[in-house]
Amino acid sequence: YTASLPSGVSSNQAEFVSGGTGNVSFTVARYATRQVEIRCEFTGTVADGYLPGAKDEFICAPERLTISGRSDLVNQVAYARVTVDGENLTSSISGEFPFELIGASGNVLENLDVEVDSETIYVSYPILATAEIQLAVKLIPGGGVSEDMATYKLSTEKITVAGSKEAVAAISGMPLIIETVDLADVEDGDQIKCIIPLADELTNISGITDVTITIQLNGSLQTRIINATNISV
């Protein structure tokens, strides 16, 4: 070793009383920074009449997590996992949640000596209300046929919808008018195919998107041929 003496002190002014040599052990590692995906899982339960949102309906902020540290440790992380739970939920979830670092094999990486740019993840997740809705057709009198002289059949009479509690409450308890039919324009047995209309706030979870309407005039109309001999335009 070489002794570094204070300024103004020469080597002939100092006496080295004792000293020794030895080895110092240390490790040099490459420092790395990378971003990983944040995945969310819902492990809770919802109340009767409610439905948890789809997996792709999770909203996270930030959308990705930045990890820094020794490259061999940073590279062990496959993604960050946020677990959202709760019992008999009836309202959507939002708030700050902790996360776990997950390895490539799906194992939790405990006590991994890395730095992250956020200690929690803000998560928003919808809990949807559901309701069964009756479908109906509005009949407009015409062509000599009144409403009470005609009926109709639907290929599907009810659907199940999902949406926010407020949107579902606004449509519950009343039929959903899917089509308006002018009786002057139809005949007995006519079939009309229509798309089920829904507000943007609602989702049809029945898997049925269109309905066939069969018009029944129940023999209420009669025809007669008249010989016309004096026609003017």
Side-chain angles (χ1 to χ4, degrees):
Y1 62 87
T2 301
S4 178
L5 299 176
S7 177
V9 179
S10 62
S11 58
N12 58 6
Q13 294 176 300
E15 177 183 356
F16 295 94
V17 178
S18 64
T21 60
N23 296 323
V24 176
S25 298
F26 60 92
T27 300
V28 176
R30 182 181 296 278
Y31 186 83
T33 298
R34 58 186 285 257
Q35 289 187 329
V36 297
E37 177 188 6
I38 298 173
R39 300 181 187 177
C40 298
E41 295 182 4
F42 177 67
T43 59
T45 61
V46 297
D48 290 341
Y50 289 83
L51 187 71
K55 208 163 188 178
D56 60 0
E57 291 184 288
F58 276 105
I59 298 176
C60 297
E63 295 182 350
R64 300 180 71 83
L65 187 69
T66 301
I67 304 175
S68 303
R70 282 172 40 187
S71 60
D72 59 325
L73 299 180
V74 170
N75 291 334
Q76 292 182 33
V77 182
Y79 61 92
R81 181 176 66 196
V82 178
T83 301
V84 177
D85 59 7
E87 300 296 327
N88 295 319
L89 298 176
T90 60
S91 299
S92 297
I93 300 168
S94 61
E96 298 285 341
F97 287 84
F99 59 85
E100 298 173 307
L101 299 179
I102 307 299
S105 61
N107 58 304
V108 179
L109 302 174
E110 301 280 1
N111 302 318
L112 194 66
D113 187 18
V114 294
E115 298 177 355
V116 292
D117 64 342
S118 179
E119 294 299 324
T120 58
I121 304 296
Y122 177 82
V123 174
S124 175
Y125 180 64
I127 301 297
L128 306 174
T130 63
E132 190 176 60
I133 303 299
Q134 180 75 42
L135 305 181
V137 174
K138 182 178 180 181
L139 301 178
I140 298 178
V145 184
S146 61
E147 290 181 68
D148 57 355
M149 296 167 63
T151 58
Y152 60 85
K153 279 189 176 181
L154 302 178
S155 58
T156 298
E157 295 187 352
K158 296 179 180 180
I159 61 170
T160 302
V161 299
S164 68
K165 190 184 302 184
E166 296 76 17
V168 171
I171 198 174
S172 296
M174 62 182 69
L176 174 64
I177 303 300
I178 59 173
E179 185 77 7
T180 299
V181 176
D182 189 340
L183 295 175
D185 299 329
V186 295
E187 296 181 4
D188 186 42
D190 279 359
Q191 291 188 329
I192 303 168
K193 190 173 183 179
C194 65
I195 302 298
I196 300 175
L198 275 181
D200 293 338
E201 298 82 8
L202 296 171
T203 301
N204 183 350
I205 61 175
S206 300
I208 301 170
T209 58
D210 55 68
V211 176
T212 299
I213 307 165
T214 302
I215 301 297
Q216 298 173 322
L217 299 183
N218 305 321
S220 58
L221 292 185
Q222 297 180 357
T223 61
R224 179 182 174 192
I225 297 176
I226 299 175
N227 293 324
T229 59
N230 185 10
I231 300 175
S232 62
V233 178

